[in-house]
Each structure stands twice: as C-alpha cells, then as structure tokens.
Amino acid sequence: MKGEVALDEVVVSERKMGTIASRTSVLQTQRITYDEICRAACCNLAESFETNPSVDVSYSDAATGTRQIKLLGLAGTYVQMLTENYPNFRGAASLYGLDYVPGAWMESIQVSKGTSSVKNGYEALAGQINVELKKPPTADIFSVNLFGSDAGRYEGNADASWHINDKVSTGLLVHYSNDKRQHDGNDDGFLDTPLKEQVNLMNRWYHKLDKYVAQYGVRYLYESRTGGQATKHHDFVDPYRVHLNTNRAELYTKQAYIIDAEKVESVAMILSGSYHEQKSMYDRTPYNVYQKNLYASLLYEKEFSLAHSLSTGLSLNYDGFDENLLSGGQRNVFNRTEVVPGAYIQYTYNLNDKLIVLGGVRADYSSLYDFFVAPRVHIKYNPFDWFHVRASAGKGFRTANVLAENNFLLSSSRKMHIADNLDQEEAWNTGVNLSFYIPLFGKELTLNEEWYYTDFQKQVVVDMDSDAHAVSFYNLDGRSYSNSFQVEATYPFFRGFTLTAAYRYTDAKTDYRNAEGVTQRLKKPLVSDYKALATTSYQTPLKKWQFDLTGQFNGGGRMPVPDAINPLWKPNFNAFTVVNAQITKYFRTWSVYIGAESLFDYKQSHPIIDAENPRGDNFDGSMVWGPVHGRKIYAGLRFNISRD
C-alpha cells in the first residue's frame, strides 16, 4: 500500500490575441479586445485604433481638435456607429462622438467592413463599428484607471458593479478628463490642441429571469473645448477663439424573451433616446445645434434547423434638429424633422459550416425622402479548414446633416454654399475577403487579403476644390467611388511575442465642379494613397512585463486645389511616419504603464493657413493631413478587483 500523492495545481496558459478575426461569422469582423485597447494611450474611442490597420483616425481641423474615422477611404459619416448594437453618435454627435467613449469603459470593439446586416439599419455604407461597454454581470467589482501626460492632460476613470442578487446587478461608470495646458509647439500663435474638460457618467442595470433578460441604462456627458489663438506666450488684443460647450443625455433599454431555447426562438425590443446640445462660437460666428433622437427596434428570430434560420423585425428612427447659424449678420435656421419607420427580413442558410449564405432586405419610408429599399447578401465559404472566403454586396442609405457634420469648417474664412434639395445619399458596396490560417514552424500564420468597392449613386459632395475661399455642398453630378485593397499578416514568432504587418492601398475619387462649372474627377483630398502598419507586442512569462511598439507609415495624397493667383499651400502632401511605444509592468491586482505618442516628434509644421491673419480672406484651419502635435510622454495606473 502506498499513500496518495497530491500534486499542486498545474496551469497551462497561452497569451490570447489582442485583435481577433472571427472565423465563424459570415461577416468580415474584427474584435478589438480590452487587452488590445490597453496597448496604447487609449483614453477614448478615438485613440483605440492606433494598432489597427483598417481604421484611420485623423484630425479634421487644427482649431477644434475634431477627430474623424476613415474606413475604406471614406469619411466616418459613412460608418455606422453602434453602442451594443443600437445606433448612436449620429448627426450632431458624429463630429466629437469618438471622444465621448472613455477607453476604460470599453469591453471590446467590433469592426465590420462593407455592408452590414439589415438588422441594424440602412446606414452602413462603408462599414460598422460596434462598441461593447463593461456589463454589470461580468465587470470587475471595482476598477480604476488614472492617466497623465507631459502635455498637461489628466484623466481619471472608475467603475464598479454590484450583484444585488442572483437576478439583478448594476454598474456605475465615471470619467473625468482635463486638458487645459496651452501648447503652441510651432509658434504660429494657435493652440496645437484645444483646451478640453469632460465629465461622463453612466449607470446601467441588468435583470435576468429564466427566459427573460432586461437591460437599462442612463448616461450624461458634459464637455467644453476651446481652441484658437494661444494667449500664454502671445499678447493678442482680441484673440481668435473657438468655444464649444456640449451637454448630452442618453437612455436605453433592451428587453429579450426566449420563446423556445431548443429551437433558438426569441423576441427582443430595443429602445433608445438621446438629447444633444452643442453651443458654439467660432470667433464671432455663433452656431448652435440641438438634436433629439428616438430609436426603436422589435426583433424576432427563429432557428428552424441547423441549416435554416430567420430574423425579421420592425424599426423606427426619429431625428429632430434645431440648428441656427449667424453668418454675415444674417441668421440661418436649419430646422428639420425626419421620421423613418422600416421593416426587414433576413434568412440564413448554413451547410455544415462549410457554406453560409445570409441574405436580407429592408424597406424604409423617410418623411423627407419617401420609400427606399436596401438589399444585402453575405456569403462565407470554407473549402478547407485553413482557407476561408467571404463575399458581400449591398446597398446603404444615409441622410446628410451638412452643418452638424461639418461645422468644424467654420474655423476658417471659407464661405459656406449649401445647395437646396440635397439628396439622400445612396451607395452600393461590394467586397471579397480571403483568410488563410497556415501552420508554420509549430505556430499559425494568419493572412488576410481583402478588396472593397463603394460606388455612390447619390451623394452630397463636400467641395473644397472649386474655390479656395469657399466650401460647397451639392448633389453628385457624375461618379464617386472608393477602391480599397488591404493585406494583413499576423504571426506569433515565439511565446508571448506577436507581430502584425499590414498594407492598404486606397483609390477614392469624386467628380467635382470647377470654377467654370465643368465636372472634373479628382482624388478625395486629405486622404493618404496608402498606409502600412507594423505593430509588435511582447509579454514576458507569468505576465510581469509587456512591451509594445507600433509604426504607422502613411502615404502622401492630394490637397484641396490652392488659389491659382496666391497659392498658400502645395497641391500634395508628403508621406510621413508616426511611431508609438509603451511599456507596462503588471502586479497582482494593478499595473503601471509609460509610453510615448509620436516617439520621434513628427508633426505637420503649418496646419493652419495664414495663421498671422485669422480674420483675413486666406485663413483656413482645415488643411490638416498629419499629426498636429509632437511627441507626448504619458504614464498611467490601472487597478482592479476582479470578480473572478
């Protein structure tokens, strides 16, 4: 007889990928996890894509600090923004919405390119970005994230969750940021980045019974930002300043009832509402916008068998805008209301996970634009386990909110010309994606190749070319399209180390009217012809240290056409490189990190045209194609009490 021998617990672990491309989804979707978000100075959603080759985030102007997404060579207004699968940050919030989502609140981000499912609406012309926030059932008991930079930016985040009982839980999320130190690195008299302060609060509830699940949430945001001429080192008698004050309130509820768990039959309802108030003063030009939004969606889903499933539903979207702009001594009022009820049906055929076909169509009626139909189809085919093919085609529609989405252009001397009876924007998007999972030296090389083509039938053209002293908005007369080709490779060379390399080429062109009214086809201005990215991450054994390094290699592109008599900028901009780095030290329940943005201090030397004469005819703060600030050193601390 021998006595028992008890072994200590053995844990076999492997570092998971920060960005996960779904192998099972019929849509081409990337999931950016919280671990990936933490690889950079992610203070908000706008800074979450620094290690992602697909999504570009750049400044739209050098006065307000507006940052916008570009996807497939198109502006972020053509990307549908969702918060936990309901539309959000539309219209008046689209300009600054990326700054409204704190990085510490996010659980993950899903990025889908091309046309999306008809379930989420008709607006995704170039793609879809869905943000998942921390949820009460799974969030940490308590967590804190503190951040500070040598530029004087300070930020604090805290969240907590309580399990009241086994059926009800709640969570509270708090954010405060302050960035009020003046910087004028190029000594042009203007702030490199605006002075900002933000308060962001959210409370959410989760209720689960046997077959019933409900979520509720309420949120409030206040933000102030001031840009324009710096007063710290300059003696301006009457400085040119831009002031924006925003108040935003949101509430939502999601209700779901499982009719039959075995047949995967369920019904759900989503309700959300928001009120957005932005009061602005662009030097001596006041602009105010107030938007009320109500969204409702009723969904029914049933799986008839492993091969056949159906989804159908009804939706309603209400937008009420109250806009007024005082320009040239004249008050311009842009009040409008749009109500869009709609219905959709979507069918999925699944042949043993080898072939999946998802086809859907939705029909909507706009109180402004009448009846329209959006068909969409997605196909996924796996000839081998290591080779997946995806293809998609579909139509998207969008209502252009010209002033709300472009009011940053008021920080220039350009006059605004807005045509009457602007069309509802309409475009077809087609795409093909090839995914390879190749065994190589005992590990797996992931290789993705993709091509997407967006072709506009109707578009509201933003024309900064026909007149160097004006911007015109008018209906497309001719063609407008975007070709985007990208190849991406990821390989874990050794344990804890991952390298991702990607290259993207963009060909986006639009027919513009020149000063004589003749149409000419030009590349979209301020869009890089290509982008290459290399990002590496190494985490030591037992997760004690982590080292991250990212290089973004941005190609040159076209500038808006300068004045022929007095050209104040070059017709093209050159390629540039930005390098970011971060080091993280992990402890049991907390971690500290230090990093640098624009490590080699690269910045656009003169982003503001004629900065010496801001009230003159040549002043323009919108000629931004690169970083407007130089190197920033930052440090932070994360602490959490895990629920596990």
Side-chain angles (χ1 to χ4, degrees), residues 96 110 141 169 183 197 240 338 411 473 501 516 550 590 614 639 643:
Y96 306 101
Q110 286 88 42
I141 296 174
S169 56
H183 294 276
E197 184 177 29
Y240 181 102
E338 184 181 24
S411 59
F473 302 89
E516 290 75 30
T550 299
W590 57 287
F639 170 79
R643 188 160 297 282

Side-chain angles (χ1 to χ4, degrees), residues 565-585:
I565 299 174
N566 183 26
L568 295 178
W569 61 84
K570 295 180 180 179
N572 297 287
F573 63 88
N574 296 323
F576 62 95
T577 299
V578 176
V579 177
N580 302 323
Q582 181 176 283
I583 300 173
T584 306
K585 169 61 176 174

Side-chain angles (χ1 to χ4, degrees), residues 384-403:
F384 310 101
D385 290 340
W386 53 269
F387 178 44
H388 297 179
V389 181
R390 290 180 175 88
S392 65
K395 181 177 278 193
F397 295 83
R398 197 185 79 87
T399 298
N401 302 292
V402 172
L403 266 182

Side-chain angles (χ1 to χ4, degrees), residues 87-101:
N88 206 355
F89 303 126
R90 304 165 62 258
S94 61
L95 268 184
Y96 306 101
L98 295 178
D99 291 340
Y100 296 163
V101 186

Side-chain angles (χ1 to χ4, degrees), residues 321-338:
F321 284 89
D322 180 0
E323 287 183 277
N324 55 82
L325 170 67
L326 183 62
S327 179
Q330 181 178 356
R331 179 173 296 276
N332 302 281
V333 178
F334 301 90
N335 295 345
R336 66 197 177 281
T337 298
E338 184 181 24

